[in-house]
Amino acid sequence: QVHLAESGGGSVRPGGSLTLSCVISGSRPPNYCLAWFRQVPGKEREGVACIDDNSQTRYKESMMERFTISQDKIKNTVSLYIERLSPDDTAIYYCAAKARTWGYRCALRADMFYSWGQGVQVTVSS
């Protein structure tokens, strides 16, 4: 079982940047997907970016320019760097994990991920 714990959220002014981190503990399969999702109350959970055991990444197209996902396999962390934040980025951000089927890349589908962190609030306002 994988346990995920996010950190790094908070309040940021528009135009600022932020790095979210997620510590992964427990038993992780050799082939895996790690992802960041975000959710605004009343809306569906939205995929932001994912990274796999080969460090291949995938982003939601509208987020490719401002979001960067990375992982540290030694520290067992996955991070999300966000720059040029706007109020539209205000949401709860979740870290998620799943086993990756060999030969397939990760997809940003929340229903395919079965391990989730508690989420961390990011608020962008002036």
Side-chain angles (χ1 to χ4, degrees), residues 61-124:
E61 187 172 354
S62 62
M63 301 180 184
M64 289 182 67
E65 292 187 359
R66 299 189 298 114
F67 292 74
T68 304
I69 190 171
S70 61
Q71 66 177 328
D72 187 323
K73 293 184 178 182
I74 295 177
K75 294 182 179 179
N76 284 329
T77 60
V78 58
S79 299
L80 183 70
Y81 173 70
I82 315 170
E83 59 184 316
R84 290 179 280 136
L85 282 152
S86 76
D88 289 340
D89 295 317
T90 295
I92 298 175
Y93 285 74
Y94 296 92
C95 175
K98 66 180 286 290
R100 181 178 65 86
T101 301
W102 189 85
Y104 289 82
R105 293 185 61 187
C106 300
L108 289 171
R109 286 182 50 183
D111 61 333
M112 296 179 69
F113 285 80
Y114 46 78
S115 295
W116 293 86
Q118 296 285 342
V120 61
Q121 177 71 46
V122 173
T123 302
V124 185

Side-chain angles (χ1 to χ4, degrees), residues 39-70:
Q39 190 168 23
V40 175
K43 293 189 176 181
E44 291 188 359
R45 196 163 291 190
E46 175 184 40
V48 175
C50 58
I51 189 167
D52 67 18
D53 48 285
N54 294 317
S55 294
Q56 292 191 53
T57 59
R58 174 169 284 178
Y59 294 87
K60 183 174 181 177
E61 187 172 354
S62 62
M63 301 180 184
M64 289 182 67
E65 292 187 359
R66 299 189 298 114
F67 292 74
T68 304
I69 190 171
S70 61

